[in-house]
Amino acid sequence: MRGEPFPPGAWHLVAEVCPVTTDGRVLLTQRHPEKAWGLLWEITGGAVLKGESPVAGAARELREETGITLPESSLHPVYVQPRQLPGGFPAIYHSFLAVFDPDTQAIRLQAGETVDYRLMPYKEFLQFMMTEHYISFVRQRFLDHQAAFDRLMAEHIGK
């Protein structure tokens, strides 16, 4: 539960979503300047709430941070990976690819969370992600599983 102390020995569940348009552009958001890693870019993600499944948390985070509403069945699992969060908390990352139609979904940024967004062709995203403007540990998780992202992109976008 948000605001409660993190119990010793507990694992934090994190849901991460790589939103991609039907024509193959990746949606990136820029973090609010007052948040940790302020003004850096990333894909959508956040904590799974108590009692929430990872896919439900991913769909909620996508809706809250970007305004994109998709059914859970539209989120394609990419990987599950235990990892240390910055600060040393043990976390289990559940990553999903979500394909959305930009003509039917309006992007609305969440106040206090995100301040800007970009839609980048996948190849351009792969280059941008390697810059200092992208959060390094989010980059590393992506790179660790890029083959799975590439496979899903080919399967669901055909690019």
Side-chain angles (χ1 to χ4, degrees):
M1 295 291 288
R2 222 175 268 267
E4 290 183 10
F6 199 73
W11 285 75
H12 188 72
L13 285 181
V14 178
E16 189 170 66
V17 185
C18 184
V20 180
T21 63
T22 50
D23 63 354
R25 293 175 292 156
V26 177
L27 173 62
L28 300 178
T29 54
Q30 187 178 36
R31 293 175 66 87
H32 190 280
E34 294 178 9
K35 291 186 63 77
W37 305 284
L39 297 178
L40 293 181
W41 294 84
E42 64 183 342
I43 56 175
T44 301
V48 174
L49 302 177
K50 185 176 181 178
E52 191 175 50
S53 70
V55 70
R60 177 187 47 75
E61 286 288 340
L62 184 64
R63 183 179 63 255
E64 288 176 356
E65 292 186 8
T66 69
I68 296 169
T69 301
L70 294 174
E72 292 176 17
S73 61
S74 294
L75 277 68
H76 308 285
V78 181
Y79 67 85
V80 176
Q81 182 183 43
R83 223 178 188 152
Q84 292 291 317
L85 283 169
F89 294 112
I92 301 173
Y93 285 87
H94 290 259
S95 182
F96 300 89
L97 181 84
V99 180
F100 71 99
D101 183 347
D103 294 331
T104 62
Q105 297 275 352
I107 297 170
R108 292 181 312 277
L109 300 175
Q110 183 180 18
E113 289 284 329
T114 54
V115 294
D116 200 3
Y117 75 91
R118 293 180 181 174
L119 288 167
M120 290 186 172
Y122 189 58
K123 288 181 181 179
E124 187 179 321
F125 160 71
L126 294 175
Q127 293 172 344
F128 179 78
M129 179 182 59
M130 301 307 291
T131 71
E132 71 278 3
H133 304 291
Y134 197 83
I135 298 176
S136 61
F137 56 88
V138 178
R139 172 192 317 121
Q140 190 56 56
R141 283 195 309 273
F142 182 91
L143 292 174
D144 289 348
H145 302 280
Q146 184 176 349
F149 280 101
D150 290 347
R151 180 181 50 75
L152 285 168
M153 286 291 291
E155 184 178 324
H156 295 284
I157 306 298
K159 300 235 181 234

